[in-house]
Amino acid sequence: MRFEIQKNHWAFLSLIACTLIAPMFFFFAETFTDKMVLAVVFLGLDLPFFILFVWVYARTYLLINNQNLTAYFGPFVYRVPLADIRSLEVVRKKWWKTNIQPPAISFRQIHLTYGRYGVIKVSAPKDEEAFIQELKRRTPLS
């Protein structure tokens, strides 16, 4: 089953706005050299981050199949065997205590403990109750 995650639209829009500020300076540069430096900075640094942000935002979801919980986070894929999941906890992060740990891009997260020492933090799906019930049905969670 595929579960779409809750997305923090304001955080995404602010990241996109920050990456789009650099090209605006191009129009205010006075010399050709200044414009070339800004173009290199934009194309070399800013544009890849912009593409990564859009990719992560567009391709972040959770997938439960017969053997694995797979978390897709843009170009990154995290697989957790369902048999290894020991516990889950729903957490609401405070905006001032947020640290970016993929694949959690919203403030409401699910922390899964698996294996001996493994922990993964994923964004809570839109249908959180259905996700938890499906996970409990397929794992040794009580």
Side-chain angles (χ1 to χ4, degrees):
M1 285 184 87
R2 179 180 167 140
F3 294 92
E4 296 296 326
I5 64 145
Q6 297 176 9
K7 296 177 181 172
N8 188 344
H9 301 294
W10 288 109
F12 175 73
L13 290 175
S14 62
L15 286 173
I16 295 300
C18 289
T19 58
L20 294 178
I21 287 174
M24 292 182 356
F25 289 113
F26 183 80
F27 298 107
F28 298 110
E30 294 180 7
T31 66
F32 179 75
T33 307
D34 292 342
K35 288 184 180 191
M36 291 309 296
V37 167
L38 286 171
V40 168
V41 167
F42 175 67
L43 293 176
L45 298 174
D46 214 21
L47 190 60
F49 279 117
F50 176 78
I51 292 169
L52 180 66
F53 291 149
V54 171
W55 192 357
V56 165
Y57 192 77
R59 187 181 181 241
T60 300
Y61 60 91
L62 302 168
L63 184 68
I64 299 177
N65 61 20
N66 292 333
Q67 298 162 345
N68 295 319
L69 165 66
T70 308
Y72 291 89
F73 186 70
F76 309 104
V77 179
Y78 301 87
R79 285 188 179 80
V80 177
L82 291 174
D84 291 349
I85 296 177
R86 295 184 297 143
S87 68
L88 82 108
E89 178 186 6
V90 178
V91 176
R92 171 117 174 116
K93 296 291 244 180
K94 305 290 185 215
W95 66 269
W96 62 87
K97 294 183 178 179
T98 301
N99 51 355
I100 299 175
Q101 297 174 338
I105 61 173
S106 70
F107 292 125
R108 189 151 178 91
Q109 300 175 358
I110 296 178
H111 296 194
L112 294 165
T113 306
Y114 64 95
R116 192 166 183 176
Y117 301 111
V119 175
I120 188 170
K121 300 173 184 180
V122 295
S123 292
K126 290 179 182 175
D127 192 0
E128 188 177 309
E129 288 300 318
F131 174 76
I132 291 172
Q133 292 303 322
E134 184 69 20
L135 207 55
K136 285 183 176 180
R137 189 175 69 79
R138 294 181 185 228
T139 63
L141 293 171
S142 56

